[in-house]
Amino acid sequence: LYFSPQEGILFFYHIKGLQYEIEICADILQPISSLIFSPDYTVLLLVTDQGTVYTYKPAHSGEAVKLLDACSSCFLAADFLTPGNKYCVSVTISGEVQVWFLEDGTCLSKLNLDIEVHVT
């Protein structure tokens, strides 16, 4: 089980029977608003309240890597494009939808919806 309280620390709870162990996986110093696993569970997207997107690879037990940084508008949400885990899609508060290559954070496509986006 992966969990992140408001402090921006990603925790892993290893639960076995009635016992559990807690491991700190990453500290990104920004509150995390959502965690999204890739379809094959090899990559975890971390979206922050400030609109930054990080990737974390549980099998590598390394640090979270900043993939996308909020520019003119904060990222409101992000998710993987399936099948596979090579691309993700994001939407900003200003209504810009973008497709990203996860390997290096290259923006491959943009579409402006011309509306402000809200989470309900």
Side-chain angles (χ1 to χ4, degrees), residues 35-96:
L35 305 170
I36 304 105
F37 258 111
S38 63
D40 63 0
Y41 297 98
T42 60
V43 181
L44 184 62
L45 287 182
L46 314 171
V47 181
T48 71
D49 286 348
Q50 285 80 26
T52 307
V53 179
Y54 291 81
T55 59
Y56 177 77
K57 296 182 179 179
H60 295 103
S61 299
E63 283 296 311
V65 177
K66 187 185 293 184
L67 176 67
L68 313 171
D69 205 353
C71 300
S72 60
S73 181
C74 288
F75 293 110
L76 190 58
D79 202 350
F80 288 89
L81 286 178
T82 56
N85 58 353
K86 292 183 179 183
Y87 308 98
C88 76
V89 63
S90 66
V91 64
T92 64
I93 293 170
S94 64
E96 185 172 79

